[in-house]
Amino acid sequence: MEAREHIIEVKDMVKKFGSFTANDHLTFHVERGEIFGFLGANGAGKTTAMRILCGLSYPTSGEIRVAGHDVYRERERIKRKIGYMSQKFSLYEDLTVSENIHLYAGIYGLGRKQIAVREEQLLERLGLAHVRNRLIREIPLGWKQKLAFSVAIFHQPAIVFLDEPTGGVDPITRRQFWEMIHDATEEGITVFVTTHYMDEAEYCDRVSIMVDGRIDALDTPAALKQQYESVNMNEVFLKLARS
Amino acid sequence: MSLIIDHIDLSFDTVQALRQVDFEVQDAELFGLIGPDGAGKSTLFRIMASLLVPDAGRCLMHGHDVVKDYREVRKIIGYMPGRFSLYMDLSVEENLAFYARVFGTTVEENYDLIRDVYEQIAPFKKRLAGKLSGGMKQKLALSCALIHRPEILILDEPTTGVDAVSRREFWDMLKKIQKEGITIVVSTPYMDEAEMCDRVALIQKGRLLEITDPSVPSRSDGTALFSLRSHKGVYAYLEKVRNLEACKHAWLFGDQLHVTLHSEGDAATAKSIIDGWGDSSLEWEKIIPSIEDRFMGLIEQESGEQHINGETF
């Protein structure tokens, strides 16, 4: 693989809460334009690490740069260059489709004209123009998720963080969502994603697996399956997290 | 028969949440209800738990009608709702003691049944339930649902948002509970968990699409399912495969594409075209559909071409 720019660079990242070490000397990088799967059991420290990378929390120590910016001194710059979506927090239920787009685009500093043009393109592409004035809570979950993802990358961020984005939808909608993720990478957006669906780990370019605050494995899905003599990522995960 | 769901209908305002849902569950069966959010799973569970009254149809739990005999029903079922609903400001052991007393029993009396589950959280028994991790909350909720030794255990998405390791452990626990003669009805959005059930009902938009035994290969509906693998990754081939004339549907499926052809007879033509793509690592083979393949096939049938834009509205 040709050497690509490291859009996320993490060296010796440590995060402690009192005597508890949530992130124990994490060192890894994410390349521009890749889909990076960030896996681990509940409580392994994924959310803690992700909050630091999003500029929401300070590490205890370590050298960390996200989209070229330092996580200690340039958090506001980082926030402008990233998008975020989770199953729990995405769109405002009591605003319409269009209002949500305007709200998020406005927060990221896009101008009115720019928003109007991109909104049309977006609604057209998603086939949601006919529900633009409907409240979010009135539209099906699968549509909401696709819209939430589109809104998270509306300002064309360098990186989008997806925290368990596909919970609860039917298997076809889940796959359509992953096709959208692939499309986003073709526009140069880097995707950093957590999931509990192990088949989705296979859709990532590289996958890291956290166990008790450390990264115990990091490689392409094919290499991990070979290394752990497993037929799929579920087996890899069970072997690592149970050992 | 442990449980009889007899042509149940239920609407909320203009939304038809359940339409003519009809099935039976045997004694000591582990029965799964699989479907996405909004399919009607929780609504059905709340009817079973005597918390909702259906518009039409009947639900019998060990012969007791959930509307007329709701008092009796509540004694013989254990219900674990989808949302964590124990008392956050009581400790682990206080929650358990509370549920035991509500059902007129003691923790000691049925401790054998919950031993395996409860001992994993016993080191934290003085901790407030609100301060537990997700996995521990789930174990406490299961302990509380079991403490009166119910005849029927109904679990609404107990493993949603739970990691793959804890999910496997949870299903191992369910298998043990089943051996105690307890009937279990459990819902999940994870298709791989379907394989752990004796039988599975696939539910979508309030309708039961199919009930199947996961261990029995599916009946043929005339179409044929193939998988495509490549060392170069399969995403690059997705559009190409979809553009084949023989291709009915193609989807990402782990490290493969799963491709449904219009008919078995198209297989040779498809194979020769794929061979012409000049990727020697391409592997094309006929496969047996998994539960997830079958569910996807049913959704496609159901919604026809409307699904191109996601769920119908």
Side-chain angles (χ1 to χ4, degrees):
Chain A
M1 200 184 289
E2 77 270 35
R4 286 198 284 185
E5 183 196 344
H6 294 182
I7 194 81
I8 297 177
E9 187 75 66
V10 177
K11 278 185 197 149
D12 269 331
M13 179 162 98
V14 175
K15 176 72 180 187
K16 290 186 177 174
F17 296 104
S19 61
F20 177 70
T21 306
N23 290 163
D24 189 1
H25 296 274
L26 303 185
T27 296
F28 66 99
H29 68 263
V30 178
E31 291 172 4
R32 183 185 283 278
E34 79 174 332
I35 302 177
F36 188 86
F38 198 58
L39 309 186
N42 301 115
K46 299 188 303 289
T47 304
T48 302
M50 198 136 136
R51 285 178 55 83
I52 294 170
L53 298 179
C54 289
L56 297 173
S57 147
Y58 286 116
T60 305
S61 64
E63 227 180 281
I64 303 111
R65 297 184 78 80
V66 177
H69 298 297
D70 183 282
V71 298
Y72 297 93
R73 290 176 293 110
E74 303 175 298
R75 300 206 307 184
E76 292 315 308
R77 290 195 178 192
I78 289 173
K79 287 177 195 167
R80 284 182 172 269
K81 286 197 179 169
I82 63 170
Y84 176 84
M85 173 202 165
S86 79
Q87 193 199 340
K88 286 165 206 137
F89 177 77
S90 51
L91 302 170
Y92 289 91
E93 296 275 312
D94 49 358
L95 295 182
T96 66
V97 168
S98 178
E99 285 167 345
N100 267 285
I101 294 173
H102 282 259
L103 174 67
Y104 279 98
I107 288 171
Y108 282 110
L110 270 63
R112 270 173 207 279
K113 275 188 186 157
Q114 209 178 1
I115 295 174
V117 173
R118 284 199 209 166
E119 180 186 15
E120 288 314 311
Q121 291 167 347
L122 172 64
L123 293 176
E124 177 75 18
R125 197 173 64 231
L126 295 180
L128 293 182
H130 64 298
V131 292
R132 67 194 310 150
N133 294 321
R134 297 293 286 269
L135 296 180
I136 289 297
R137 67 161 171 265
E138 296 172 347
I139 70 173
L141 179 67
W143 294 12
K144 267 186 228 179
Q145 283 189 341
K146 289 172 193 167
L147 181 65
F149 177 68
S150 303
V151 165
I153 59 169
F154 196 74
H155 58 296
Q156 297 171 329
I159 308 160
V160 63
F161 291 88
L162 306 173
D163 194 1
E164 292 178 35
T166 56
V169 295
D170 72 67
I172 289 186
T173 306
R174 203 153 65 78
R175 285 171 171 79
Q176 290 173 332
F177 190 86
W178 273 90
E179 290 177 25
M180 288 182 70
I181 290 178
H182 275 284
D183 290 345
T185 63
E186 271 156 30
E187 291 167 32
I189 295 175
T190 306
V191 177
F192 188 100
V193 58
T194 73
T195 178
H196 288 313
Y197 290 94
M198 288 302 126
D199 60 323
E200 295 185 347
E202 311 266 4
Y203 308 151
C204 301
D205 294 311
R206 291 190 306 144
V207 167
S208 73
I209 299 179
M210 275 189 85
V211 180
D212 296 335
R214 295 181 316 274
I215 290 181
D216 274 13
L218 196 171
D219 214 323
T220 62
L224 288 174
K225 282 183 280 184
Q226 199 171 18
Q227 188 186 341
Y228 292 93
E229 294 170 349
S230 303
V231 294
N232 55 37
M233 284 304 293
N234 191 42
E235 242 183 86
V236 172
F237 188 82
L238 291 176
K239 280 184 181 169
L240 267 164
R242 260 184 180 172
S243 62
Chain B
M1 208 58 71
S2 258
L3 201 156
I4 297 173
I5 301 278
D6 180 12
H7 295 91
I8 283 186
D9 277 327
L10 182 64
S11 294
F12 299 110
D13 297 329
T14 57
V15 181
Q16 238 190 316
L18 295 173
R19 310 179 213 190
Q20 293 292 295
V21 174
D22 189 54
F23 65 91
E24 294 179 352
V25 179
Q26 322 265 331
D27 286 339
E29 187 175 11
L30 178 47
F31 189 90
L33 211 57
I34 315 276
D37 286 2
K41 301 190 299 295
S42 298
T43 304
L44 191 55
F45 276 75
R46 296 184 64 202
I47 290 174
M48 291 178 202
S50 78
L51 299 174
L52 265 180
V53 176
D55 295 339
R58 287 183 316 156
C59 173
L60 303 179
M61 307 293 276
H62 260 168
H64 304 291
D65 187 293
V66 295
V67 180
K68 285 193 236 88
D69 312 323
Y70 69 92
R71 284 175 192 278
E72 203 51 41
V73 167
R74 289 176 188 181
K75 282 183 203 154
I76 62 162
I77 62 161
Y79 171 49
M80 184 169 153
R83 196 179 299 167
F84 183 71
S85 51
L86 301 181
Y87 294 93
M88 301 284 196
D89 50 356
L90 292 185
S91 69
V92 167
E93 60 181 1
E94 284 167 345
N95 265 294
L96 192 61
F98 173 79
Y99 279 91
R101 266 189 85 173
V102 164
F103 285 102
T105 182
T106 59
V107 173
E108 292 71 32
E109 198 171 328
N110 292 314
Y111 191 70
D112 277 352
L113 185 60
I114 65 160
R115 183 187 306 267
D116 283 350
V117 189
Y118 188 69
E119 281 185 355
Q120 299 177 46
I121 49 172
F124 310 99
K125 62 186 180 191
K126 301 283 180 200
R127 192 179 288 188
L128 295 185
K131 301 273 184 202
L132 294 176
S133 73
M136 289 199 280
K137 276 185 186 151
Q138 177 208 41
K139 283 167 189 153
L140 177 59
L142 181 61
S143 303
C144 290
L146 278 173
I147 194 60
H148 59 297
R149 189 174 276 275
E151 293 166 24
I152 306 172
L153 185 62
I154 52 183
L155 308 168
D156 192 1
E157 294 204 18
T159 56
T160 293
V162 174
D163 69 69
V165 174
S166 308
R167 287 202 276 130
R168 180 65 68 89
E169 288 170 357
F170 194 81
W171 280 90
D172 290 344
M173 289 189 275
L174 292 190
K175 287 278 185 193
K176 280 191 187 163
I177 294 165
Q178 182 189 15
K179 287 209 179 76
E180 297 278 331
I182 295 175
T183 307
I184 304 174
V185 185
V186 56
S187 65
T188 176
Y190 298 101
M191 300 284 153
D192 54 339
E193 295 184 345
E195 318 279 342
M196 312 286 283
C197 301
D198 297 325
R199 285 188 307 150
V200 168
L202 301 177
I203 183 168
Q204 167 99 334
K205 291 176 203 151
R207 289 190 39 228
L208 224 56
L209 301 182
E210 189 178 67
I211 296 180
T212 57
D213 175 344
S215 62
V216 178
S218 72
R219 55 187 168 66
S220 169
D221 60 352
T223 59
L225 185 69
F226 289 80
S227 83
L228 185 74
R229 291 171 193 263
S230 162
H231 292 329
K232 295 175 184 168
V234 287
Y235 185 71
Y237 290 102
L238 186 55
E239 273 314 304
K240 266 183 129 164
V241 169
R242 282 185 180 155
N243 287 333
L244 293 177
E245 212 168 302
C247 173
K248 195 172 176 196
H249 298 289
W251 297 108
L252 289 169
F253 214 100
D255 59 352
Q256 317 158 27
L257 294 184
H258 279 192
V259 185
T260 311
L261 299 182
H262 289 292
S263 81
E264 189 88 49
D266 292 328
T269 328
K271 170 88 171 84
S272 70
I273 297 174
I274 289 164
D275 284 343
W277 287 347
D279 175 353
S280 59
S281 72
L282 276 175
E283 288 172 44
W284 171 260
E285 61 173 337
K286 188 166 193 290
I287 54 168
I288 296 167
S290 66
I291 288 279
E292 187 154 14
D293 290 307
R294 282 149 76 177
F295 194 19
M296 288 165 67
L298 289 167
I299 297 173
E300 279 156 348
Q301 241 174 48
E302 186 78 357
S303 45
E305 293 311 304
Q306 290 169 307
H307 205 282
I308 283 168
N309 266 331
E311 296 145 64
T312 46
F313 184 35

